[in-house]
Amino acid sequence: MRDWLTTKRLTRRAVTPAPLGVIAVHASLCCALGGSAPAAPNAQGLDEWRQLVTLTCVDCHGGARAEGGVDLARALAAPEAHVELWTQALANVEGGVMPPEGALEPADRREFRTGLLAALAVDTNDPGRPTLRRLSRGQLANTLRDLFGVSVPVEHYLPEDAAGYGFDTTGDTLFVTPLTFEQWFEVVDATLEAVRADPVAYARLVPDVVDRESTRARLSALLERTFRRPPSDAEVDLRVALVRSELTQGAREPEAFLAAVRASLLAPSFLYRVERDHPEATAPWPLEDHELAVRLAYFLWGAPPDDTLRAAAGAGELHATLEQHVERMLADPRSRWLATDFAAQWLGFSELAHVTPDVRRFSEFNEGLRRSMRAEAEAFFDDLVHADRSVLECLDSDYAFLDARLARHYGIAGVDHDDVRRVALTDRRRGGVLGMAAVLTVTSQPLRTSPVTRGRWLLERLFAAPPPPPPPNVTQLPEDDRGGDGLTLRARLERHRADPSCAACHARMDPYGLALEPYDGIGRWRNEVEGAPIDAAVTLPGAQAVDGPVALKAHLRARPERFVRGLTEHLFVYAIGRPPDLADRPGLDALIEAAAREDYRFSALIRGITRLRAFTHRRNPRPTEAQAGEVSRGPGDGPLPR
């Protein structure tokens, strides 16, 4: 426990609990991973929580002069009337932002969280309800490839998907507009053209004789894969009737069959990851096995379930054998999707394609170097998955994945191969994601580094604790760090932080970014800028002093809890399609504690995510959700074809 909190507890008189009114302490405050449930806090536990809040928060955030207008003393009197405020307070406590004297010890953070969930009567058995999700652009390309064995340049027809909470797999941002649907028509037509041009794909898809029996059998098998579940008789009948109608109107047999294929690829059951509601249900229910198979396959592979997964779902065995399938799928080469898609979005190196450093300042940068940068990041994470390494190696590792070009860029001798391979490191300035040129380049400006962007990146991507957006009309730093005022970038930042509206957030971000200043705008090591030595010594939030990237990496690795929680929350969003809420906290806590016992191996986190009720269960919408409209359809969208 922190010394300041110990002193407060020993010297202050017993705190009189603020009245909470009628508090419904939910009896199921429990681990969401299926283990034994810890006892919910009783009245004494709630008193201890109130005392902890009073000791750590109310001195500053209470009464008429509450800092920032945040009055937690008032919120203590009626917690359920201030859910949003308490949610933010919990995020600040878990992120080490509050209390300002220093982060609480793990036991105190756990007490704060557990007592808060009880005071708010949070139902920790609630799996939540993600918004209906359509296939992302990348998932659509993978799905068409798996269905027909052809590669379709989907990116030529569809724009990039909008991201929500860091990922393009979030239902709230996967909107559909009339233009999007027109573009889908183009993708489907391009797919069928590719099938026509490929004799093997064509023969596999179109029957030799298009009679009623062969048509029905072929379409039934196709729809099971296209809809990722067994089709109903009515769905098959509808497409058989379409083939007969096309033949009646004079279409050739193969084209009549392809008309039914085209209609199937434009159906909501293909374009969306549909999960069936149970209107009569009054409690959450386990997902149907085929729905669970779809969640799992698109999480780990970005593609539909394979034959093995479909067979387990068809036999009703998937829930019971889920862990075995997770292990099998992580070992499969298709799990490289976690590197090329999840890690690319999480760490931000997906943006490398859109970043162009100023070639007058960074003449070494070219398209070959850009490819090597991305290849390093992908190979590192793919190896983390397939070798089942500790995720702490993201913070620091004694190896990197290099080719000759990138090794020269880093100043590492002895690498002469043109492909990216694992290389042992003795120079600890590299190793882990903080020393990767892909990350360092996307967090820089065209003419200079950006300690603010790098600090924000670390808080947002590694800790899942982004600072608030800057206030309007905030003063911008110069585009070039070679200014005529003689000030270093660090000195300019210190002047910028003199503005009270900027100081608090920059105090959280800037130290992390300044510690990374020895890396230039494209990730090369440097010791000075314009003849002035770089000062990378900083004091991090919590009063920890570090000097430069190597010390920063050691600091983060020695205190892994915030990073592991941040990564786990990002995996949650990517897998489930929504951010975690208060009801998910106990499950995530238990997941992280279990992963710690396995040295935070990557598979431990993935297994934990797939055990969560949020991953395996579903519930009906609540009245407030139904009124708000939870389906991801844009304004003005018309009905989708069957």
Side-chain angles (χ1 to χ4, degrees):
M1 186 180 295
R2 306 289 289 190
D3 291 341
W4 63 268
L5 183 55
T6 303
T7 301
K8 274 192 171 185
R9 280 180 161 158
L10 291 175
T11 58
R12 286 189 57 147
R13 298 171 61 185
V15 178
T16 302
L20 282 174
V22 179
I23 299 177
V25 180
H26 201 281
S28 62
L29 184 61
C30 66
C31 158
L33 297 181
S36 59
N42 53 24
Q44 179 181 351
L46 288 171
D47 286 346
E48 292 174 353
W49 170 72
R50 289 194 294 268
Q51 181 179 10
L52 178 62
V53 171
T54 302
L55 289 170
T56 58
C57 307
V58 171
D59 282 354
C60 297
H61 296 292
R65 301 184 64 181
E67 290 188 12
V70 176
D71 189 350
L72 291 181
R74 180 184 177 192
L76 270 175
E80 292 180 299
H82 301 275
V83 174
E84 185 175 348
L85 177 60
W86 283 117
T87 301
Q88 184 58 51
L90 178 59
N92 287 338
V93 167
E94 292 189 328
V97 178
M98 293 292 171
E101 295 92 339
L104 296 181
E105 292 296 321
D108 292 311
R109 290 201 302 272
R110 189 159 43 248
E111 180 182 330
F112 189 100
R113 182 167 56 251
T114 302
L116 176 59
L117 295 180
L120 296 179
V122 172
D123 179 3
T124 57
N125 280 319
D126 178 12
R129 185 177 171 85
T131 303
L132 174 68
R133 288 185 279 176
R134 64 167 171 82
L135 299 181
S136 69
R137 190 175 70 171
Q139 291 169 349
L140 179 61
N142 291 345
T143 302
L144 293 172
R145 180 202 63 218
D146 281 14
L147 281 173
F148 305 114
V150 297
S151 294
V152 181
V154 173
E155 67 277 6
H156 292 176
Y157 303 96
L158 297 174
E160 290 187 348
D161 293 305
Y165 310 104
F167 299 100
D168 64 9
T169 57
T170 309
D172 290 347
T173 58
L174 290 170
F175 302 116
V176 178
T177 67
L179 176 60
T180 306
F181 202 63
E182 289 179 15
Q183 292 167 326
W184 276 342
F185 273 86
E186 296 177 0
V187 172
V188 170
D189 289 341
T191 302
L192 296 183
E193 284 301 315
V195 168
R196 292 185 182 98
D198 186 325
V200 175
Y202 186 83
R204 188 166 55 238
L205 177 62
V206 181
D208 294 331
V209 179
V210 183
D211 57 23
R212 185 176 295 275
E213 182 177 347
S214 63
T215 297
R216 184 175 186 83
R218 189 67 67 96
L219 283 175
S220 181
L222 175 67
L223 288 178
E224 181 164 0
R225 298 182 65 221
T226 302
F227 291 173
R228 303 173 287 274
R229 58 167 173 77
S232 67
D233 289 341
E235 288 170 328
V236 179
D237 291 342
L238 184 66
R239 284 148 185 89
V240 171
L242 176 58
V243 174
R244 305 314 304 170
S245 175
E246 291 289 315
L247 291 172
T248 301
Q249 296 177 45
R252 295 172 52 246
E253 286 188 349
E255 292 304 313
F257 185 86
L258 288 176
V261 175
R262 184 176 189 267
S264 301
L265 294 179
L266 291 168
S269 290
F270 171 70
L271 296 170
Y272 287 87
R273 294 164 54 180
V274 178
E275 295 171 353
R276 190 167 66 90
D277 278 343
H278 296 172
E280 75 288 349
T282 58
W285 62 87
L287 288 172
E288 297 176 4
D289 279 53
H290 285 285
E291 296 169 347
L292 182 60
V294 170
R295 281 199 183 188
L296 183 63
Y298 280 105
F299 174 29
L300 301 184
W301 290 348
D306 64 353
D307 292 341
T308 303
L309 203 55
R310 288 205 313 274
E317 299 172 349
L318 185 54
H319 278 273
T321 59
L322 187 60
E323 187 165 317
Q324 294 95 299
H325 285 283
V326 169
E327 298 288 353
R328 174 183 70 85
M329 294 172 72
L330 286 176
D332 190 284
R334 283 170 285 190
S335 65
R336 186 175 178 86
W337 180 254
L338 289 166
T340 60
D341 195 67
F342 167 74
Q345 295 188 71
W346 167 48
L347 296 174
F349 61 82
S350 59
E351 295 299 312
L352 194 60
H354 308 300
V355 169
T356 304
D358 192 303
V359 294
R360 296 166 298 178
R361 179 65 50 81
F362 302 108
S363 59
E364 183 181 338
F365 188 84
N366 54 40
E367 291 306 309
L369 184 60
R370 190 197 303 268
R371 289 192 295 271
S372 294
M373 287 178 177
R374 169 128 192 175
E376 176 195 16
E378 288 185 358
F380 179 90
F381 200 83
D382 186 52
D383 179 71
L384 190 82
V385 174
H386 284 107
D388 199 14
R389 302 188 187 282
S390 169
V391 299
L392 300 187
E393 294 188 15
C394 290
L395 299 175
D396 191 18
S397 65
D398 58 3
Y399 62 90
F401 284 81
L402 307 175
D403 58 14
R405 179 189 292 111
L406 199 56
R408 286 194 303 271
H409 187 68
Y410 289 162
I412 296 175
V415 178
D416 56 7
H417 43 79
D418 293 331
D419 57 328
V420 170
R421 302 179 194 171
R422 181 184 168 111
V423 174
L425 297 176
T426 56
D427 184 351
R428 301 317 296 269
R429 294 177 297 182
R430 304 297 170 181
V433 301
L434 294 180
M436 286 183 182
V439 168
L440 295 163
T441 301
V442 299
T443 54
S444 296
Q445 300 294 323
L447 284 166
R448 62 168 173 83
T449 60
S450 177
V452 176
T453 303
R454 287 178 175 176
R456 181 182 180 90
W457 173 90
L458 192 145
L459 291 177
E460 185 175 284
R461 306 302 175 99
L462 299 192
F463 294 166
N473 303 319
V474 66
T475 303
Q476 298 295 320
L477 293 171
E479 295 182 357
D480 194 345
D481 58 357
R482 300 179 182 178
D485 54 9
L487 293 177
T488 64
L489 186 56
R490 180 172 187 142
R492 292 193 188 102
L493 275 174
E494 290 174 354
R495 186 172 62 183
H496 181 75
R497 287 198 299 270
D499 184 342
S501 64
C502 303
C505 289
H506 280 277
R508 292 175 58 193
M509 296 185 293
D510 293 0
Y512 294 108
L514 288 168
L516 298 175
E517 270 294 274
Y519 300 115
D520 75 0
I522 56 173
R524 295 175 299 191
W525 187 265
R526 59 184 182 171
N527 294 309
E528 60 181 40
V529 176
E530 290 293 285
I534 292 174
D535 180 7
V538 297
T539 301
L540 301 177
Q544 176 68 40
V546 300
D547 189 353
V550 176
L552 175 61
K553 292 196 296 182
H555 167 78
L556 296 176
R557 180 104 191 220
R559 299 160 181 80
E561 296 82 9
R562 290 185 70 190
F563 166 72
V564 175
R565 175 169 289 278
L567 172 55
T568 303
E569 291 189 9
H570 283 299
L571 284 167
F572 182 103
V573 173
Y574 186 78
I576 296 169
R578 65 170 177 83
D581 57 26
L582 290 174
D584 302 305
R585 297 295 179 125
L588 291 173
D589 291 344
L591 184 168
I592 293 167
E593 289 175 5
R597 295 190 289 272
E598 298 186 52
D599 193 29
Y600 298 116
R601 289 191 301 127
F602 185 77
S603 67
L605 295 184
I606 296 295
R607 279 185 274 112
I609 292 289
T610 59
R611 290 174 186 153
L612 293 172
R613 284 178 62 84
F615 190 87
T616 61
H617 285 66
R618 182 174 174 80
R619 64 165 169 80
N620 285 317
R622 294 179 175 136
T624 52
E625 294 169 335
Q627 292 167 6
E630 61 162 2
V631 178
S632 59
R633 301 284 300 282
D637 288 346
L640 296 177
R642 297 176 62 193

